[in-house]
Amino acid sequence: MAYVPVPKDLTCVKSKFLFNLTKRQVICFGLGALVGVPFFFLTKDALGTSMAAMLMIVLMLPFFMFAMFERHGQPLEVLLRHFIQARFIKPRTRVFQTDNFYTAIDQNIRYHREVRKILENQRKRKNQTDKGKKKQLRALVRQRQQQKKGPYTAQETIPYQRMGPDGICRVTDRYYTKTIQFQDINYQLAQNDDKTSIFEGWCDFLNYFDSGIHLQFSFLNLTANAETFEQSVLIPDRDDGFNDIRHEYAQMLQEQLAKGNNGLTKSKYLTFGVDAENYKAAKPRLERIEMDLLNGFKRLGVAAAPLNGQDRLKLLYDLFHMDNQTPFLFDWKWLAPSGLSTKDFIAPSSFDFRGKHSFGMGSKYGEISFFSILASDLNDRCLADFLAMESSLVVSFHVRAIDQTAAIKDIKRKITDLDKMKIEEQKKAVRSGYDMDILPSDLATYGGEAKKLLEDLQSRNERMFLITFLVMNTADSKKQLTLNVKQAQSLAQQHNCQLIPLDYQQEAGMVSCLPLGYNTIPIQRGLTTSSTAIFMPFTTQELFQTGHEALYYGLNALSNNLIMVDRKSLKNPNG
């Protein structure tokens, strides 16, 4: 089991601006003083000194809260914005409602006809004042805007604008993504030398990405159709007198099937995106990156293939329809005659974001949590333990590379700030009359970690990445969801980390878990190449082939899944 040291979170080290305060604290305290002090002098004669001082403290308290309060790297105004949007602004329940393209065009034509009719009537009525004209037009425009805005729907919650047949998705006006599906390889059962080779290759793979590429790893454990899996191990009857043996053999396979987690389909995806002015500029960049990534997976011995537009839609459909096993029906030819969008074919029946740290999707319940790294080192079983859970979950791993020059410059600035704080502590020690070598433990720890991190970036093949680790647990009931979340939290605690629910950010978390390469969660953690690569996405290669010629060869030693092989279809058919 490989262990890799994790650098300290240097975002906790704030640059001091004035009087040993940060720029944010100076601004907030200054605004509080500008509001509170004049209020005190204006009211002390009328209300008394004590009452005026008390009211001054009450007025200044919000500014002090904005200056000092921070949770998971998010300041108070960000937390308040999420709370207000979740509770009061955004609809908390979104239902499936189609927005037909042709209907929208027809409504727009009718709207312009109404405006034209009003203008013509006003020309005939010369006695009507300009004020009355403007008031009537303003009322009509306001009514039209309200109709256009309408309630949020399940389709509008899905955060992309257009999905192309070639697999290029326009998420925002200037952001385009593509997705690659990659398979597993034998890592956990490999020898130490092979593990080291795979780990180093994975580090080189991550170092390929520059700061202009958005990266998302998606790991999906979704419930498969039970009947499909049972049919895959059944042997059809024949009129040869051996059907009893076939039934006994099929019963044994079903018992072995229940021991493993073959009821879950596990898939791995890599979504990458770039910022571009338009589709024409984004396509060659995405195709070049896709070719480089496929070559990188090939060097690692990993089978990978890009997804086209229909494959990506089916992937989203499977995520949104965990509560049923209906097949995905879609064809690009259906869009133009129907006037529907691709979202109408993949959206669930409803979204429900009424919970503080849970949400509903169809008849399923879900909860989004983020992985907070507290450990000083991590092992390569961290991600594999989550993927080994026997429940439906989605693990999303957003990675954004930092420019090497900017990363080194930022760490040098942190070291300068720490040295400045160290000098201030030493001056304070001399004035107080105790040993100047006695420093706060955090100051000494962060100073050593920052210098070590700078050395790694300058002398070793290390880069800096910003990661966001999200886990979406799902279940059929709230009780089962609570049990699944508790199990995931216990796995995080085994690695000296925490799995913390996203309060009032469940919609943003759900959006960030979709394999669209779109991260709306601002909680990020800075890691080096090796500490990012320790979240090894490879565990063991499954061998489960379907077909009438596939035979049972045993159980996988790591996952306890069935090994079903049709040896005639392998490269070497010898037994």
Side-chain angles (χ1 to χ4, degrees):
M1 187 180 296
Y3 284 86
V4 170
V6 178
K8 291 286 186 181
D9 189 6
L10 295 180
T11 57
C12 300
V13 180
K14 305 294 184 180
S15 300
K16 304 303 180 182
F17 177 68
L18 189 66
F19 304 120
N20 204 27
L21 298 174
T22 63
K23 186 181 293 185
R24 177 186 178 86
Q25 292 171 347
V26 170
I27 294 174
C28 291
F29 290 158
L31 292 176
L34 289 176
V35 173
V37 174
F39 176 84
F40 173 76
F41 286 107
L42 291 174
T43 58
K44 68 175 183 177
D45 294 334
L47 301 177
T49 304
S50 299
M51 181 60 68
M54 185 66 66
L55 293 177
M56 180 187 69
I57 294 174
V58 172
L59 286 176
M60 296 175 66
L61 186 60
F63 295 95
F64 295 157
M65 291 290 293
F66 280 107
M68 304 301 296
F69 186 83
E70 187 177 278
R71 186 183 183 191
H72 308 311
Q74 301 178 93
L76 182 59
E77 66 270 14
V78 175
L79 299 175
L80 288 176
R81 186 178 76 247
H82 291 314
F83 173 77
I84 293 172
Q85 288 181 347
R87 286 291 184 182
F88 305 108
I89 298 178
K90 293 184 177 181
R92 300 165 70 183
T93 302
R94 329 275 175 82
V95 297
F96 184 94
Q97 181 179 345
T98 59
D99 187 11
N100 191 284
F101 178 72
Y102 300 122
T103 303
I105 292 178
D106 185 60
Q107 291 176 352
N108 196 26
I109 292 174
R110 279 197 310 242
Y111 163 69
H112 286 290
R113 287 177 179 174
E114 291 176 6
V115 173
R116 192 181 302 112
K117 185 177 180 181
I118 291 174
L119 292 175
E120 291 176 355
N121 293 335
Q122 288 175 353
R123 292 192 190 98
K124 296 178 181 178
R125 300 175 184 175
K126 296 181 179 180
N127 57 349
Q128 188 175 7
T129 62
D130 293 339
K131 186 177 180 180
K133 297 177 185 178
K134 294 180 180 178
K135 185 176 180 181
Q136 190 175 2
L137 282 174
R138 196 180 298 115
L140 181 62
V141 171
R142 190 183 305 112
Q143 180 182 1
R144 172 58 183 169
Q145 289 177 347
Q146 291 177 355
Q147 291 176 355
K148 184 177 181 180
K149 183 178 179 181
Y152 279 91
T153 63
Q155 286 89 328
E156 292 174 345
T157 309
I158 304 174
Y160 73 85
Q161 296 180 356
R162 182 181 179 275
M163 180 71 73
D166 56 357
I168 297 179
C169 177
R170 186 177 67 190
V171 182
T172 62
D173 292 337
R174 300 183 59 182
Y175 181 52
Y176 299 82
T177 65
K178 287 201 74 174
T179 299
I180 293 176
Q181 182 178 9
F182 63 96
Q183 306 300 324
D184 212 338
I185 58 174
N186 290 320
Y187 175 79
Q188 298 295 341
L189 296 178
Q191 299 296 325
N192 291 332
D193 293 341
D194 296 333
K195 282 187 175 182
T196 303
S197 177
I198 295 174
F199 180 78
E200 292 176 352
W202 187 241
C203 289
D204 295 336
F205 183 88
L206 293 176
N207 280 336
Y208 161 78
F209 300 99
D210 57 29
S211 58
I213 303 176
H214 307 256
L215 188 66
Q216 179 190 8
F217 291 95
S218 301
F219 306 95
L220 280 61
N221 289 5
L222 303 180
T223 304
N225 193 327
E227 295 181 0
T228 303
F229 266 102
E230 290 180 0
Q231 290 294 329
S232 63
V233 298
L234 290 179
I235 303 175
D237 292 341
R238 296 181 182 178
D239 296 331
D240 54 4
F242 296 104
N243 287 333
D244 293 338
I245 299 177
R246 292 189 180 92
H247 295 165
E248 182 180 357
Y249 182 69
Q251 180 66 29
M252 182 270 296
L253 291 181
Q254 291 179 1
E255 293 176 357
Q256 296 292 85
L257 185 67
K259 295 180 181 179
N261 53 7
N262 287 102
L264 296 174
T265 58
K266 299 186 177 183
S267 52
K268 308 173 190 291
Y269 301 92
L270 169 59
T271 304
F272 55 95
V274 295
D275 295 315
E277 292 289 338
N278 48 47
Y279 172 84
K280 186 176 180 180
K283 184 176 181 178
R285 293 183 59 190
L286 291 173
E287 289 177 348
R288 177 183 57 83
I289 296 171
E290 177 187 295
M291 185 62 63
D292 294 339
L293 294 181
L294 292 177
N295 291 332
F297 278 123
K298 187 176 181 180
R299 286 192 293 269
L300 289 170
V302 178
L307 300 184
N308 58 28
Q310 187 159 350
D311 294 334
R312 295 190 70 179
L313 291 175
K314 184 181 183 305
L315 175 60
L316 293 172
Y317 176 86
D318 293 337
L319 271 173
F320 291 138
H321 294 81
M322 298 182 188
D323 52 348
N324 57 54
Q325 302 294 335
T326 56
F328 174 61
L329 302 176
F330 174 78
D331 196 305
W332 297 102
K333 299 178 181 178
W334 299 345
L335 296 179
S338 63
L340 302 176
S341 68
T342 55
K343 296 181 182 180
D344 295 318
F345 293 90
I346 64 174
S349 58
S350 65
F351 286 108
D352 188 350
F353 297 105
R354 287 179 290 182
K356 177 182 178 181
H357 48 73
S358 63
F359 70 98
M361 185 169 61
S363 61
K364 283 277 187 179
Y365 297 92
E367 179 173 328
I368 313 293
S369 307
F370 73 94
F371 188 75
S372 178
I373 301 174
L374 306 177
S376 59
D377 52 22
L378 291 172
N379 61 59
D380 53 5
R381 287 289 310 174
C382 187
L383 179 60
D385 288 343
F386 284 103
L387 301 182
M389 290 180 59
E390 297 184 2
S391 60
S392 296
L393 84 159
V394 177
V395 177
S396 181
F397 194 69
H398 291 271
V399 182
R400 182 70 182 267
I402 304 176
D403 183 72
Q404 189 75 350
T405 304
I408 293 175
K409 184 178 180 180
D410 183 64
I411 294 173
K412 286 183 177 179
R413 185 168 58 250
K414 295 292 184 182
I415 293 175
T416 302
D417 294 335
L418 289 168
D419 290 340
K420 184 178 179 181
M421 295 167 62
K422 181 179 179 180
I423 293 172
E424 293 294 333
E425 291 291 336
Q426 290 175 341
K427 290 180 179 179
K428 188 187 298 184
V430 172
R431 288 194 298 266
S432 302
Y434 58 87
D435 190 1
M436 62 183 296
D437 292 332
I438 300 177
L439 298 173
S441 58
D442 289 343
L443 188 59
T445 301
Y446 279 105
E449 287 287 339
K451 293 178 181 178
K452 181 181 178 182
L453 181 58
L454 179 62
E455 182 182 357
D456 290 341
L457 295 181
Q458 290 180 331
S459 60
R460 299 177 58 189
N461 190 23
E462 295 281 349
R463 296 186 60 187
M464 283 296 296
F465 296 89
L466 293 177
I467 71 159
T468 302
F469 195 130
L470 301 175
V471 178
M472 181 173 74
N473 287 280
T474 61
D476 294 326
S477 62
K478 290 186 176 181
K479 182 178 180 180
Q480 184 61 42
L481 177 63
T482 302
L483 295 176
N484 293 346
V485 172
K486 291 294 184 183
Q487 181 184 1
Q489 290 176 343
S490 65
L491 291 177
Q493 291 174 0
Q494 292 177 9
H495 298 277
N496 197 17
C497 298
Q498 289 183 341
L499 200 63
I500 304 173
L502 290 170
D503 295 340
Y504 303 109
Q505 299 182 57
Q506 290 297 301
E507 181 183 355
M510 187 273 296
V511 166
S512 301
C513 286
L514 299 178
L516 295 172
Y518 187 49
N519 185 19
T520 58
I521 298 298
I523 303 174
Q524 295 178 327
R525 179 71 154 85
L527 296 177
T528 59
T529 301
S530 57
S531 53
T532 304
I534 200 63
F535 294 99
M536 182 61 64
F538 309 118
T539 52
T540 181
Q541 187 173 9
E542 297 289 350
L543 197 56
F544 187 85
Q545 297 179 341
T546 59
H548 299 311
E549 300 294 332
L551 298 178
Y552 170 71
Y553 281 84
L555 294 176
N556 189 304
L558 192 63
S559 62
N560 289 327
N561 289 335
L562 289 180
I563 299 177
M564 297 287 292
V565 180
D566 179 7
R567 66 180 189 180
K568 297 178 182 179
S569 63
L570 299 178
K571 292 182 179 180
N572 185 0
N574 296 329

